[in-house]
Amino acid sequence: MEFAFFIEGGNFSKAGSASSEVKKILKQLNVDSKIIKRTVVSLYEAEVNVVAHAFEGDMIVEIFPDKIAVRIEDKGPGIPDIEKAMEKGFSTATPKVREMGFGAGMGLPNIKKNSDEMNISSKVNVGTKLEIVNYLK
Amino acid sequence: MKVQDIVDKLGLKVCSGSAGLNREIEGGYTSDLLSDVMGNADENQVWITLQTHKNIMAIASLKELAAIILVKGYEPEADAAEQSNVEGIPILSSEEEAFELTGKLFDLLKK
């Protein structure tokens, strides 16, 4: 099964709506609630990253008998130094975004903690691709 | 303990989402950083914060929190209140600061 969701850059009022749709689907499929919780944390953080940093993005969710695989690909500024971006507390978010309580440099570490596999690749001035896998065991 | 019980005992104002006043509470979390709440709060907890924008409802819904309490008399923004009504997750408001309110809620829940 495959589902795709569009993520609009800059539109915080819709941030979380794609993750919310995925959560509904996983619940309908009777996926274990602990796995749903972890996946939802990862997806929400990834979605907010696109909203906060990119122009637009797509979340593609594939559900297999043994795993959930999600790709979040965006068109945006990209990440020059992924290792740095992965550090807890590091953020390039704007002051406005920080005032809302985002941009604390916890997003990518949260994703890492809440996914079984995480791969991130990025091209500066092109965009970022994030892949998350959670196993259904 | 239910959300209605803490509304009564802590003198909270119900701003929105009154359909969820019968939700059961199993703890609380106090933070103004959304990723911190996303990563560390648990379902059926009450979230104490000063953030008033719509994204607090996205977090509350995804994490299945019992309710949100805004401190220092803050009120939710209109779209946050609307979403709270849709989700049936109450947004409450207290005149107190986060420190005092958290202490009182902690006391109530430990009994």
Side-chain angles (χ1 to χ4, degrees):
Chain A
M1 264 184 284
E2 189 178 307
F3 303 90
F5 303 93
F6 177 74
I7 305 168
E8 197 181 327
N11 188 350
F12 276 94
S13 75
K14 281 192 187 162
S17 54
S19 309
S20 176
E21 291 301 315
V22 176
K23 184 185 171 192
K24 280 181 207 157
I25 292 166
L26 296 179
K27 277 198 159 180
Q28 278 165 9
L29 293 170
N30 282 321
V31 171
D32 180 89
S33 67
K34 277 182 192 158
I35 296 169
I36 294 181
K37 280 181 194 172
R38 297 184 74 221
T39 306
V40 161
V41 173
S42 290
L43 296 191
Y44 178 77
E45 294 290 3
E47 189 176 349
V48 166
N49 278 347
V50 174
V51 174
H53 298 285
F55 309 125
E56 61 173 57
D58 291 295
M59 179 187 284
I60 296 114
V61 181
E62 289 178 281
I63 302 166
F64 301 96
D66 63 329
K67 67 181 180 184
I68 306 162
V70 185
R71 286 197 321 276
I72 296 104
E73 291 181 90
D74 71 48
K75 290 175 190 160
I79 304 171
D81 185 343
I82 290 173
E83 211 172 304
K84 186 87 186 158
M86 289 298 301
E87 283 177 16
K88 280 183 190 169
F90 179 82
S91 177
T92 58
T94 61
K96 183 176 163 261
V97 169
R98 287 174 201 253
E99 271 175 29
M100 293 175 78
F102 294 111
M106 302 172 84
L108 289 174
N110 261 357
I111 295 172
K112 193 172 174 60
K113 192 176 157 195
N114 288 284
S115 51
D116 294 332
E117 287 172 20
M118 171 188 181
N119 283 300
I120 183 165
S121 57
S122 191
K123 275 187 189 158
V124 171
N125 294 325
V126 178
T128 299
K129 182 176 172 181
L130 172 70
E131 292 170 298
I132 297 163
V133 175
N134 274 348
Y135 289 98
L136 298 169
K137 47 186 181 204
Chain B
M1 188 164 301
K2 292 191 187 296
V3 176
Q4 182 68 57
D5 298 326
I6 63 162
V7 168
D8 297 340
K9 287 180 173 147
L10 298 174
L12 305 175
K13 176 179 172 188
V14 180
C15 303
S16 57
S18 54
L21 289 172
N22 59 348
R23 283 173 171 264
E24 197 67 37
I25 299 172
E26 288 174 13
Y29 199 77
T30 303
S31 179
D32 301 320
L33 294 177
L34 274 60
S35 284
D36 179 36
V37 180
M38 202 61 209
N40 297 300
D42 281 320
E43 65 181 304
N44 302 327
Q45 287 186 340
V46 173
W47 174 20
I48 296 174
T49 184
L50 52 67
Q51 299 289 355
T52 57
H53 53 83
K54 192 186 173 192
N55 296 91
I56 59 174
M57 281 314 304
I59 305 256
S61 167
L62 287 167
K63 297 294 285 188
E64 298 179 25
L65 302 178
I68 297 171
I69 310 179
L70 305 179
V71 296
K72 298 195 285 188
Y74 285 165
E75 302 255 344
E77 288 174 18
D79 52 1
E82 195 181 315
Q83 193 63 26
S84 156
N85 289 328
V86 170
E87 303 272 352
I89 301 177
I91 300 181
L92 315 169
S93 180
S94 167
E95 291 300 321
E96 288 181 293
E97 295 185 357
F99 179 77
E100 287 81 8
L101 184 67
T102 302
K104 287 182 184 174
L105 182 63
F106 183 84
D107 260 353
L108 274 180
L109 292 177
K110 121 187 134 170
K111 279 169 194 163

